[in-house]
């Protein structure tokens, strides 16, 4: 498995911004589709944003226009820029790498331990 470590969470006021980072080690992630998920207390984990190896992105309707997922393959990292934060964005955010096979080579997946984002109203 690839090891993923999230950082950048914290407490922010509604309307504020945060940038989450996900650093990968143990394998390169430039080929993998990467994703950010959120899990609020008492709720299931939900997809927030995905970015493919080719750079294509998609977002949950609730964050479209406010969040931006990006990747830096040179740094083996993925980011989530979160703007105009709302109290309902409060959750633990997890970074995921989807396992991928490309040109006969296997690129393992993995999941981070999460970083807490708390938005005060």
């Amino acid at each position: 498995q690839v090891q993923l470590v999230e950082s950048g969470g914290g407490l922010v006021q509604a309307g504020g911004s945060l940038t989450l980072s996900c650093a990968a080690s143990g394998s390169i992630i430039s080929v993998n589709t990467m994703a950010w998920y959120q899990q609020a207390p008492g709720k299931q984990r939900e997809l927030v944003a995905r970015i493919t190896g080719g750079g294509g992105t998609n977002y949950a309707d609730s964050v479209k226009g406010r969040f931006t997922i990006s990747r830096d393959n040179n740094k083996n990292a993925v980011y989530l820029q979160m703007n105009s934060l709302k109290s309902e964005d409060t959750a633990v955010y997890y970074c995921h790498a989807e396992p991928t096979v490309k040109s006969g080579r296997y690129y393992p997946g993995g999941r981070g331990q999460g970083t807490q984002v708390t938005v005060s109203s």
Side-chain angles (χ1 to χ4, degrees):
Q1 268 194 336
V2 61
Q3 288 76 49
L4 303 172
V5 178
E6 302 96 336
S7 61
L11 175 64
V12 63
Q13 288 189 332
S17 299
L18 281 175
T19 300
L20 304 183
S21 300
C22 172
S25 62
S27 179
I28 61 171
I29 59 169
S30 59
V31 174
N32 301 71
T33 291
M34 301 296 295
W36 286 96
Y37 286 77
Q38 66 177 194
Q39 187 165 19
K43 294 187 177 181
Q44 290 188 332
R45 191 169 299 190
E46 297 180 339
L47 177 69
V48 175
R50 292 173 76 245
I51 184 167
T52 67
T57 59
N58 62 282
Y59 298 89
D61 288 342
S62 60
V63 307
K64 281 181 181 176
R66 299 189 298 122
F67 290 11
T68 302
I69 188 170
S70 62
R71 65 193 306 157
D72 186 335
N73 292 332
N74 290 327
K75 294 183 178 180
N76 217 32
V78 177
Y79 307 95
L80 185 68
Q81 174 69 43
M82 305 187 294
N83 298 326
S84 302
L85 282 160
K86 306 175 181 179
S87 57
E88 50 263 45
D89 296 321
T90 295
V92 178
Y93 285 75
Y94 298 90
C95 179
H96 283 234
E98 297 180 8
T100 303
V101 176
K102 183 176 181 180
S103 301
R105 178 178 172 180
Y106 174 70
Y107 296 86
R111 183 179 69 184
Q113 294 298 307
T115 185
Q116 175 71 46
V117 172
T118 303
V119 183
S120 63
S121 55

